[in-house]
Amino acid sequence: MHVDVGNALSEAATPGVPRDALDRLDDRVADAHRRISEGMDAGEFGYAALNLPETVDAGEIRAAVEPFADADTVLTVGIGGSALGAAALCDALGDDTRTEFLDNVDPAGVRDLLDGIDLSTTVMHVVSRSGTTAETLANFLVVRDAMQDAGVDWTERTFVTTGPDGNLRDLADAHDLPALSVPDGVPGRFSALSTVGLPVAALAGVDIEGVVAGAREERDSLTGSLFDCPAYAYGALAYALDSRGAGVNAVMPYSEGLETFAEWFAQLWAESLGKDGLGQTPVRALGATDQHSQLQLYRAGPRDKMVSLVTLRDRPDVPIPSSDLDGLDYLDGASLGSLLDAEFRATEASLAESGCPSVRVELDALDPESVGGLLYGMEAACVLAGELYGVETFTQPAVEWGKTAARGLLRGDESLPETPSLRVE
Amino acid sequence: MHVDVGNALSEAATPGVPRDALDRLDDRVADAHRRISEGMDAGEFGYAALNLPETVDAGEIRAAVEPFADADTVLTVGIGGSALGAAALCDALGDDTRTEFLDNVDPAGVRDLLDGIDLSTTVMHVVSRSGTTAETLANFLVVRDAMQDAGVDWTERTFVTTGPDGNLRDLADAHDLPALSVPDGVPGRFSALSTVGLPVAALAGVDIEGVVAGAREERDSLTGSLFDCPAYAYGALAYALDSRGAGVNAVMPYSEGLETFAEWFAQLWAESLGKDGLGQTPVRALGATDQHSQLQLYRAGPRDKMVSLVTLRDRPDVPIPSSDLDGLDYLDGASLGSLLDAEFRATEASLAESGCPSVRVELDALDPESVGGLLYGMEAACVLAGELYGVETFTQPAVEWGKTAARGLLRGDESLPETPSLRVE
């Protein structure tokens, strides 16, 4: 990926980062890079994710999914990091294979999905690191039951990715299901480029070897200076802008194929950095659509935002047919791509004109190498930002309280803490 | 809709609103309600939107779409407020009719969409208040061309909603297309319950009369006190929390059918209130999925957020099949609905436990009356908040700069203002 942080400088934006402050920050980036490199070398928990371009075995993944190559629909049962990486890859790079993600336990949504697919030509990928995630196992049980009701042998249509223990591993052993192992030391939200995110992408026609190659190239660009490394430039500027008041990070790709990438990014950023009272709030947007929704706020609202504009240097295009409609002379000879690019440039300039900081992230094209590089680059940016904030990037302790409480409620333990009520009916 | 603001009180959360401050704020709500009522009575621009439950003619809309009742696919060509209201209604309440929204000019997305639908059984609804929106007209020209290429008479498969002038009105007149008029005085983002949002909903099987009836009931609940009016309670608490530091408003429905509602809300809130350096940043989330993505940040990150939890008192359910899986005793006898409800209650309690303010918005069910009430209620909440902030709720002046610049770029005028560049490749 290519990054331009010019519009995040204090000469362009408020908040903005002075050039000399960037020079000083670069010393901290060098220190952080040493820490990250040590973690990678030792395969430490979390840091090990940045080794995936070397450690992932695409051939093993291809072999595991090969029996399901004829599936019309690929159904992932998983939640959070167990679903978002595959979804981001499939939406950016997938072919016409139908991919569905059961990443919620909404009964209406699950019923509609099951009513709308042919289970006999569906393959189910069940993903849970612990093998015990409540939502995932509940959905698995519902789909398994539906397959049995439809006369489909679920053991022939299911494969799993999980850890060494837990229900999913036991199921795989008992029923001889193809089973991939979650990689050691890789938290769910950093697992897109592994046995978690790549199998379904492979079934959806994605060149996963190209994705990994792009990630490897991005890894090779990790150096001790933000001025030489796009991933670190992004992470360092996000941190520096947040420190100066940009608590909101609006990620706005100008490519519909990257809409799910923004959702993946939101999990990565929120769950990794949102701790100890710190962390930017990621906001998902989409160019050009959200120019008609969020841009008013970005330009004229509080000065608490940075906008991460993601765009493509090259894209397949569609010409706009000429017409004799009044006042549309500016569309003569234009294409949807040139219109979208013009809107991108105009939006970037309009943010600068209003003093709202933005960072430009450019991909060569929506191709496997670039998307692999983007995912890897944002993971590295996040790890760097975690070092700069000084937080525990790879844990998510604040979600445990609610998980325990939900299990208690289902067991009939109604002892939630009392909270005030002020009802308006 | 039903609202509980107990967990937004200062006794529960930080930031939070003291009860006596709410009493004082209620005097301002009374004043604002008088202003709103005057605007409604006079049919003033913007305020007129709150009269839609009385002024919209569902019969006229039914008559306009009746010729297209057999369409397999309903394609809306429109952007921003011209698309989001219909999308929110269809996703919450629609039947199996395929609804698609061309609300962007991404060439890959447009091409994929056109490759995937049968244009001979598609009806196109082109929506633009001005009749001159660049993205909408460009997409219309592309679809019209594709229909002609496919041997489909586009004049038989197209209807429009637009204003009294402009290209779309001219086209409708020239080709005798069914044409609905945008209602007077209703900005796009407040037009869901009108000729903009309801026609496609009607084609998707939505009981639009029920939607309007639900909106009318909500309108009848508008009184001069936040303690008696759910819509005003929501708007007043959002304003009061923002004033105390909750600049982010995360809208988290526990219903997949309301995922697009959150997107609609994000436009309503951002474009109406994001001005003069004011306005909350709306963030779209989804329960229970985003418990595995955003909840860590909400509980442990900066104290700059409120969470708007939207849930259903009743929903169709799916039982979870019993199993002998270890450690899942808490799922015995549970259903996906009871699991989702438990996660909702646990998340609400976990936010309170961490001191993060939340507001609960409950619907009786995902039915036309409740969804109509929700959309109307949030519009009224937004208008009230605009009065409390003292902003021009119904305009969006900050987006004009970019529109002008984009047109200039397409005309070959490259004179965007110079901005700094700092590239990292």
Side-chain angles (χ1 to χ4, degrees), chain A residues 2-5 103-104 135 256 267 277 284 287-289 292 296 299-300 343 345 396 398 421-422 424-425, chain B residues 2-5 103-104 135 256 267 277 284 287-289 292 296 299-300 343 396 398 414 421-422 424-425:
Chain A
H2 316 283
V3 168
D4 191 326
V5 299
D103 61 350
N104 202 355
E135 295 93 336
E256 294 204 343
Q267 190 209 15
R284 296 175 272 140
T289 306
H292 298 260
Q296 166 72 33
R299 290 196 76 211
E343 304 231 20
R345 290 182 58 199
Q396 53 285 337
S421 178
L422 177 50
V424 185
E425 300 275 346
Chain B
H2 316 283
V3 168
D4 190 326
V5 299
D103 60 351
N104 202 356
E135 295 94 335
E256 293 203 343
Q267 188 210 18
R284 296 175 272 139
T289 307
H292 299 260
Q296 167 72 34
R299 290 196 75 212
E343 303 231 22
Q396 54 285 336
E414 291 286 326
S421 178
L422 177 51
V424 185
E425 300 275 343

Side-chain angles (χ1 to χ4, degrees), chain A residues 228-242:
Chain A
D228 296 326
C229 170
Y232 286 168
Y234 183 83
L237 264 291
Y239 165 77
L241 287 169
D242 185 16

